[in-house]
Amino acid sequence: MTTALLIIDVQNAILAGAGTPARQPVLDKALDEVVARLQAVQERARKAAVPVIVVQHNDQGDHRLAKGQPGWELRPEIAPLVGEKLVHKTACDSFYETDLEAHLQAKGITHLVIGGCMTQYCVDTTTRRAVTMGYDVTLLGDGHMTGDRGALTYDQIIAHHNMLLDGFDAGKRAVSVKKSAEVTF
């Protein structure tokens, strides 16, 4: 099994406005903690010569992730190094109208370790799609983040998705949820 690390949408403004004024500092702190865990996994992957792939969402207009705007920029802690793959996407699915699948096939990747933002959108969609496309996935259970949504807090959304995705399968391929510290390469 050949593994790659896939980090999705860890951009400067990913959580801008995702909480009430009272909750936003809580979200920002939680995101900083997730970014630190992702950076540690990324460093371990690099030391083990495991391919690192970073996904960046490109939106337009006055969206918080409008291409070229400060909020669109990747968090510097997880930015790809020269030679690492950067995938630009315009939908929740990191495979949709991108060259991600072709890149994985060219590298012989069969297993993805996934983390990033936003849990219920891009992380969930990409994880499910990867499994149905024939990849095994390790989802970093403490390595993805989102904002509060309606009556649900970010931590409830994350716990819900970790529970739903752990064991999600298609044929012989499946998702396994692990803590970031448990992932070795």
Side-chain angles (χ1 to χ4, degrees):
M1 175 171 19
T2 304
T3 300
L5 173 62
L6 184 67
I7 300 176
I8 303 169
D9 297 353
V10 182
Q11 294 167 251
N12 286 333
I14 193 69
L15 292 183
T20 64
R23 286 283 295 166
Q24 194 65 48
V26 175
L27 297 175
D28 294 341
K29 181 179 183 290
L31 177 61
D32 288 345
E33 292 168 356
V34 167
V35 171
R37 286 189 288 275
L38 289 172
Q39 183 181 30
V41 173
Q42 188 181 50
E43 288 173 5
R44 290 196 307 272
R46 287 174 176 155
K47 284 182 182 174
V50 168
V52 172
I53 303 163
V54 177
V55 177
Q56 185 174 27
H57 188 83
N58 296 345
D59 220 297
Q60 54 189 334
D62 61 355
H63 190 274
R64 70 186 189 283
L65 301 179
K67 187 175 180 177
Q69 299 301 311
W72 168 80
E73 297 291 333
L74 293 165
R75 291 277 299 251
E77 302 96 324
I78 59 82
L81 298 177
V82 173
E84 290 179 337
K85 180 70 175 165
L86 176 61
V87 174
H88 290 278
K89 69 176 183 61
T90 59
C92 288
D93 181 352
S94 297
F95 291 97
Y96 179 75
E97 294 184 353
T98 72
D99 64 349
L100 177 58
E101 182 179 15
H103 179 75
L104 296 175
Q105 289 178 347
K107 297 278 186 184
I109 304 298
T110 59
H111 175 237
L112 293 172
V113 175
I114 296 179
C117 300
M118 302 278 282
T119 298
Q120 72 274 35
Y121 302 117
C122 303
V123 172
D124 180 276
T125 302
T126 299
T127 297
R128 290 175 190 267
R129 179 87 187 274
V131 171
T132 63
M133 293 175 70
Y135 299 95
D136 285 308
V137 173
T138 299
L139 177 62
L140 300 171
D142 60 352
H144 57 98
M145 184 62 190
T146 193
D148 295 340
R149 187 81 172 154
L152 298 176
T153 61
Y154 77 91
D155 49 336
Q156 291 171 321
I157 295 168
I158 291 168
H160 175 76
H161 282 267
N162 283 344
M163 180 195 65
L164 287 179
L165 290 171
D166 195 26
F168 175 84
D169 65 0
K172 294 180 180 181
R173 303 299 181 198
V175 178
S176 173
V177 177
K178 291 186 177 181
K179 290 188 178 210
S180 299
E182 297 172 351
V183 174
T184 57
F185 298 101

